[in-house]
Amino acid sequence: MAEAKAILRFVRVTPRKARIVIDMIRGQQVPMALAMLRHTPKHAARVIEKLLRSAVANAEQKELGDSDEMWVSQAVVNCGPSLETPRSGSPR
């Protein structure tokens, strides 16, 4: 079966918090996953909802099918670059 994907990088959400939301939608049909994300009170849910909508748009652009028939087959969260915080008392 053909797949469409979307990649989002450099998001200011910790991977640990994003994985909680990703685990909820993995394996779900797209309309159900979007409904779950819409009613989840976490900041990561807004970001992942935007990413899922992008993947659906990519699939529709490739003419892979209707969004009601699609499902989330794979969703991954990886670590990005961490912010460097200055130490107190160090000269800059």
Side-chain angles (χ1 to χ4, degrees), residues 8-48:
L8 182 62
R9 295 183 178 159
F10 306 110
V11 179
R12 299 284 299 262
V13 176
T14 61
R16 187 179 203 177
K17 293 178 181 179
R19 282 187 191 110
I20 294 170
V21 178
I22 285 288
D23 289 340
M24 290 184 344
I25 66 165
R26 191 179 293 125
Q28 299 288 326
Q29 289 184 337
V30 169
M32 183 64 175
L34 287 172
M36 290 171 70
L37 290 172
R38 205 172 305 118
H39 293 94
T40 301
K42 292 190 174 285
H43 174 69
R46 306 285 88 66
V47 176
I48 294 169

Side-chain angles (χ1 to χ4, degrees), residues 34-77:
L34 287 172
M36 290 171 70
L37 290 172
R38 205 172 305 118
H39 293 94
T40 301
K42 292 190 174 285
H43 174 69
R46 306 285 88 66
V47 176
I48 294 169
E49 180 182 2
K50 183 177 177 181
L51 181 65
L52 182 58
R53 289 186 187 278
S54 176
V56 169
N58 292 342
E60 290 174 350
Q61 183 75 23
K62 290 182 178 181
E63 298 177 357
L64 297 178
D66 187 30
S67 64
D68 294 335
E69 300 168 0
M70 294 180 200
W71 53 281
V72 181
S73 64
Q74 185 178 16
V76 179
V77 176

